[in-house]
Amino acid sequence: MSENQSMADGIGEAWFSKEGPDSDIILSCRARLARNLANFPFPLRFRDDDADHVRSIVFDAFSRCSSPDNYQAIITSNLDLIGKKILCERDVMETSTPVSTGTGIVVSTDGVISCIVNGIDHVRLSAFKSGSACLDTFKAVKKVDDELQDFLQFAANVENGYLTSDIADCGSGMKFSCRVHFPAITTTEQLRGFIAKFAGKGIEFRDSFGLGGEKNSALGYFYQISTKVAGNGSEIEQLASVIGVAKGLADVERKISKELFELRGTEIRDKIYKAYASLKFSLLISEKDAIEVISLIKWGKNLGIVGGITDSELCALLYRIRSGHLQFLMKSRKFSFPKDVEKNTLLKENSLRSLVLQEAFSSLSF
């Protein structure tokens, strides 16, 4: 297990570049486990060198797991700004994750497994997969959890299950989420009804990349569906709950999208064609606009309007066009920018983003 300060080696092929089931609507899924070591206070209650001690114990446990060379251990205070941005953009860490001397991160080389050490809890272990492969994420994260428990004693009791700093995470410590694309459900203003329907079943919705321009919409129609608490049933029951909702709504999205296209096909085509035309001749494109364009091209692909690109390529673009990933490209390679752009970081990002998208969409057919 090696330590990497810049995360430069983590930019290559990753889990999100692979095809997954139902990936026309369900882009990805995540299983997350919260754990805390027995005999240590929660991170907010650390004293003296508790944080360093816990991080050292957890890092050592990963080094003793099977295939330790597949993991990178990172002391977050050693991360450069670009490295932190990339980890946030890949959902490995939150922007609010402390970057103190006592926190750390462990990431597998393919990005499927990640672990935040001394964030909200001592251990927050996650697994990511493309499409609706929630069962695979569960198996992946449990395999690592089982291995760690050979070397770590986690705090738990019969009454409450695993003990965590947030009561919503007590019990199994497990939470599941799926990232989905709902342009038709959003356009027909049916999403609020589904949110209300499933709220009572412990499922919540939120935007993935921020708010969109339409009323009650997410940017690019991308949403996160997740379990609210870790104590509602067993891990398998929680998994079945969130994937059942995601798959059910994926079927609804396909049905409504087809019906909407039959009723308003010219409007939808016009929206998609305009987005592509604007991008094709853009010299600068913002992250927000890029997400909107990717969303519309994806919708066009699902409707059979657009060809020449795959769901996995579109999913990967949602990571490749983010600020941290572009800054890494500019740091690791030489690019020639116009004189009025080369001294402005934001303009360089927007310029490179337009080039990345134009290259990715160069083989599109309509």
Side-chain angles (χ1 to χ4, degrees):
M1 188 171 70
S2 61
E3 182 175 313
N4 186 316
Q5 296 183 6
S6 69
M7 284 300 295
D9 295 334
I11 298 296
E13 288 299 307
W15 63 267
F16 51 74
S17 65
K18 298 177 173 60
E19 292 288 347
D22 301 300
S23 56
D24 58 327
I25 308 297
I26 304 173
L27 279 74
S28 61
C29 54
R30 171 186 180 180
R32 197 218 68 199
L33 280 172
R35 299 284 189 261
N36 287 279
L37 303 188
N39 304 320
F40 283 94
F42 293 132
L44 287 176
R45 300 286 184 177
F46 276 157
R47 300 180 298 272
D48 302 325
D49 61 351
D50 282 345
D52 290 336
H53 198 177
V54 168
R55 185 181 62 203
S56 177
I57 290 171
V58 175
F59 278 9
D60 180 67
F62 271 97
S63 73
R64 297 163 70 184
C65 287
S66 61
S67 305
D69 292 340
N70 289 340
Y71 295 107
Q72 295 173 322
I74 306 156
I75 296 174
T76 52
S77 60
N78 290 341
L79 275 172
D80 59 17
L81 182 60
I82 295 175
K84 182 183 178 183
K85 276 189 175 184
I86 290 171
L87 289 172
C88 290
E89 290 166 1
R90 293 197 175 192
D91 301 312
V92 170
M93 63 187 288
E94 304 284 345
T95 54
S96 58
T97 300
V99 188
S100 64
T101 55
T103 58
I105 297 173
V106 179
V107 185
S108 62
T109 52
D110 59 4
V112 169
I113 298 294
S114 65
C115 179
I116 296 179
V117 184
N118 293 337
I120 297 174
D121 294 291
H122 298 154
V123 171
R124 283 213 165 185
L125 190 65
S126 296
F128 301 87
K129 291 284 185 178
S130 295
S132 60
C134 271
L135 182 58
D136 290 341
T137 64
F138 171 68
K139 290 178 178 178
V141 81
K142 280 298 292 178
K143 180 179 183 293
V144 179
D145 180 48
D146 290 344
E147 288 189 352
L148 290 176
Q149 296 208 39
D150 289 337
F151 313 109
L152 302 175
Q153 183 182 354
F154 291 132
N157 61 42
V158 175
E159 182 180 355
N160 299 304
Y162 288 101
L163 305 182
T164 60
S165 61
D166 186 341
I167 194 169
D169 291 322
C170 288
S172 67
M174 179 79 75
K175 285 188 177 180
F176 293 96
S177 63
C178 293
R179 176 170 289 167
V180 296
H181 185 227
F182 288 161
I185 289 175
T186 304
T187 300
T188 55
E189 299 184 359
Q190 297 186 48
L191 184 66
R192 288 179 67 84
F194 289 120
I195 292 173
K197 176 182 177 180
F198 294 113
K201 298 181 179 181
I203 302 294
E204 61 183 359
F205 293 69
R206 63 180 178 86
D207 55 85
S208 287
F209 301 109
L211 297 177
E214 299 177 24
K215 183 180 179 181
N216 300 318
S217 71
L219 182 64
Y221 311 117
F222 293 109
Y223 301 89
Q224 203 86 358
I225 300 176
S226 60
T227 48
K228 285 185 179 179
V229 299
N232 285 346
S234 68
E235 294 143 323
I236 295 299
E237 288 171 333
Q238 292 177 61
L239 185 157
S241 175
V242 73
I243 197 59
V245 170
K247 279 178 167 285
L249 288 180
D251 288 338
V252 172
E253 170 66 29
R254 294 183 188 108
K255 180 177 181 292
I256 295 176
S257 193
K258 183 178 179 181
E259 293 171 350
L260 192 62
F261 188 56
E262 290 174 355
L263 291 172
R264 297 164 54 184
T266 300
E267 292 178 56
I268 294 172
R269 283 179 182 272
D270 182 66
K271 196 171 186 177
I272 293 168
Y273 292 168
K274 282 179 177 176
Y276 172 71
S278 176
L279 167 69
K280 186 175 181 179
F281 297 102
S282 289
L283 298 178
L284 305 168
I285 186 165
S286 68
E287 185 172 292
K288 179 179 178 180
D289 288 342
I291 290 171
E292 294 277 18
V293 171
I294 293 168
S295 169
L296 288 170
I297 294 298
K298 183 169 178 58
W299 195 14
K301 177 195 172 297
N302 292 347
L303 288 168
I305 300 172
V306 179
I309 197 162
T310 66
D311 288 313
S312 61
E313 289 170 332
L314 288 164
C315 180
L317 275 174
L318 289 169
Y319 295 89
R320 292 176 56 207
I321 55 85
R322 305 293 297 278
S323 176
H325 287 69
L326 293 174
Q327 287 181 23
F328 170 76
L329 282 179
M330 289 188 289
K331 182 179 179 180
S332 59
R333 303 180 193 176
K334 288 187 177 180
F335 293 93
S336 178
F337 295 101
K339 288 185 178 179
D340 60 336
V341 169
E342 62 183 3
K343 293 184 179 180
N344 186 307
T345 300
L346 180 59
L347 290 182
K348 286 195 293 184
E349 281 181 29
N350 290 345
S351 175
L352 184 55
R353 186 178 290 112
S354 70
L355 294 175
V356 168
L357 285 172
Q358 287 162 5
E359 180 182 17
F361 292 160
S362 62
S363 298
L364 292 188
S365 58
F366 292 84

